[in-house]
Amino acid sequence: MAAKLVADCIFCRIIKGEIPSVKLLETATVFAFLDIGPLSEGHALVIPKYHAEKLHQVPDEFLTETMPVAKKIAAALGVDNYNILQNNGKLAHQEVPHVHFHIIPKPNEQEGLTIGWPTKQADPAKLRELASKLKL
């Protein structure tokens, strides 16, 4: 399976070796490296070797190794607390328009990812209605 990369994407250029990176692991479908703007020590990125902005646009065969690679990185970091983060679109805080997964160690309250989670009370009937519309 051939990688699909584009010339003007920073992550595609990292995969091709045109931009230097501190590579952690590479397979036929995945490239993992340390983030140059880390939220904490060991902050890493796992990217599929298929250029797409959003997760639903990436063929499954380019995603099968992403979580196993993220798991390997998390285990190698040896931290008890960490986040796996993947954003889709500018409104969802995606900075680089190439699907990527962050592995972010959370060693203490000050370092790592900090987020708010503004939950709302869900209506059970509306949840059932939505589930039937999704038809998975």
Side-chain angles (χ1 to χ4, degrees):
M1 122 189 42
K4 177 192 166 215
L5 305 174
V6 297
D8 63 346
C9 169
I10 190 169
F11 285 172
C12 290
R13 293 184 67 207
I14 287 170
I15 291 167
K16 291 188 275 186
E18 296 173 0
I19 296 175
S21 68
V22 180
K23 181 170 53 173
L24 296 174
L25 190 144
E26 183 174 11
T27 72
T29 61
V30 168
F31 192 94
F33 58 101
L34 291 172
D35 196 309
I36 62 167
L39 296 179
S40 58
E41 184 177 45
H43 181 165
L45 297 169
V46 177
I47 57 177
K49 289 183 173 181
Y50 186 94
H51 182 82
E53 182 175 346
K54 299 189 177 163
L55 183 64
H56 68 275
Q57 299 167 334
V58 180
D60 289 348
E61 58 267 24
F62 286 91
L63 294 172
T64 57
E65 292 184 301
T66 55
M67 286 300 99
V69 168
K71 179 181 171 183
K72 281 182 183 179
I73 293 169
L77 287 167
V79 295
D80 290 331
N81 301 289
Y82 57 92
N83 296 91
I84 305 287
L85 176 68
Q86 198 276 320
N87 302 322
N88 293 277
K90 286 188 182 290
L91 208 62
H93 308 287
Q94 183 179 12
E95 296 291 325
V96 177
H98 184 123
V99 170
H100 56 286
F101 297 82
H102 293 263
I103 298 88
I104 309 167
K106 185 71 175 160
N108 55 53
E109 288 292 325
Q110 294 74 39
E111 296 178 84
L113 184 64
T114 56
I115 58 172
W117 204 270
T119 61
K120 301 181 249 177
Q121 186 63 40
D123 177 340
K126 287 185 179 181
L127 290 176
R128 287 189 293 278
E129 181 182 338
L130 178 58
S132 70
K133 285 181 185 176
L134 295 176
K135 297 179 184 171
L136 301 175

